[in-house]
Amino acid sequence: MTVGTIHALTTEQIHLAALDCSRTTEGRHWTRLSAIIGRLADEHLFIDLGYQSLRAYVTIVMGMSPDEMFELLRLWRLIQAASGEVPPDEWASIPKTYAVEIRKLLNIGASPRQWVDRAKAVKSFAEFQAEIARYLDREPWVTISVRMPQSLAETFDACMVVALAEATGDPSPDAEMIHDKGTRFRCLEVVLRNFHQTYVHENSA
C-alpha cells in the first residue's frame, strides 16, 4: 500500500490499514504510517471512528507513543510540502532517518528535490550528514544573547538534553555533548522547530 492508495481509502479502510500497521512489520514503513496518521489528523477521521483525539486513536489502535505520532505527522507535512517537486510515492525509497534530516533542511528553504536525489546517491547516512553540514556552513549565521533566571536556564539545558538524540542521530547520546557549540545549535533547532510545529498543529485542529 502506497501513499497514493492511502489517499483514496475510505474511513473504514483507513481504520483497517491502521490496525494492520499495529499487527505486521510490513505495514509499518514510515511513509505508510505518516499517510495514515496524516489523513486521520487532517480529516479528523478519528472522531468518526469513535475517539476523542488523534493521540487516543494512535495510542490505542496503533500502539504508538505520542512522540512517534508527532514525528510521523511532521514527516507527513514534509511529504505534502514537497509534493510539487517530489511525488509522494517516491518517499518510499528514502529511509526515515534521511527524511527527518530533509525535513529540517526544508525549514531553511532547501530544495526537497535536491536532497531526495542526494539521499539516493550517497553510500551511507554519515556521508549524507556530511553533505548537510557543508550546506549549513554556507548559511548566514547570527548570534543572539538572552538573559534569563537560573531556574529557566536549567529548564533550557534540560530541553537541550532531550533534543540530543534527534539532533545527533544517536539514540543514547552523552549529555555532555550539549556543551559543544555545534551540537547545542542543533539541539536548539530541534526544540524550537518541534515546539512550533506541535503548537501550530494543536491550535489548528
Side-chain angles (χ1 to χ4, degrees), residues 157-182:
D157 279 345
C159 290
M160 296 294 101
V161 172
V162 170
L164 262 176
E166 182 174 341
T168 63
D170 182 351
S172 303
D174 183 349
E176 291 300 313
M177 290 175 67
I178 64 165
H179 300 299
D180 171 73
K181 290 182 179 180

Side-chain angles (χ1 to χ4, degrees), residues 46-184:
F46 55 87
I47 296 176
D48 297 335
L49 293 166
Y51 293 82
Q52 293 186 338
S53 69
L54 176 64
R55 182 178 301 193
Y57 180 91
V58 169
T59 301
I60 295 169
V61 176
M62 303 179 74
M64 190 178 295
S65 72
D67 286 346
E68 289 177 290
M69 178 193 77
F70 282 121
E71 179 177 61
L72 288 165
L73 192 55
R74 287 191 290 269
L75 291 174
W76 174 242
R77 302 296 175 225
L78 165 66
I79 292 173
Q80 290 177 311
S83 61
E85 295 184 30
V86 182
D89 287 342
E90 187 175 348
W91 289 100
S93 64
I94 305 298
K96 181 181 174 184
T97 50
Y98 290 62
V100 168
E101 296 301 319
I102 294 171
R103 179 179 63 81
K104 298 174 188 176
L105 291 168
L106 260 62
N107 289 337
I108 58 173
S111 162
R113 178 74 270 164
Q114 173 189 350
W115 287 98
V116 165
D117 289 343
R118 292 311 304 147
K120 292 180 177 181
V122 297
K123 296 179 180 178
S124 68
F125 185 56
E127 183 182 345
F128 189 60
Q129 287 181 307
E131 292 207 12
I132 291 173
R134 287 192 292 272
Y135 175 81
L136 291 175
D137 283 342
R138 296 197 296 269
E139 288 293 302
W141 289 74
V142 298
T143 299
I144 300 175
S145 298
V146 180
R147 188 169 180 267
M148 66 181 72
Q150 177 63 37
S151 58
L152 183 57
E154 292 172 357
T155 301
F156 179 82
D157 279 345
C159 290
M160 296 294 101
V161 172
V162 170
L164 262 176
E166 182 174 341
T168 63
D170 182 351
S172 303
D174 183 349
E176 291 300 313
M177 290 175 67
I178 64 165
H179 300 299
D180 171 73
K181 290 182 179 180
T183 303
R184 196 169 181 83

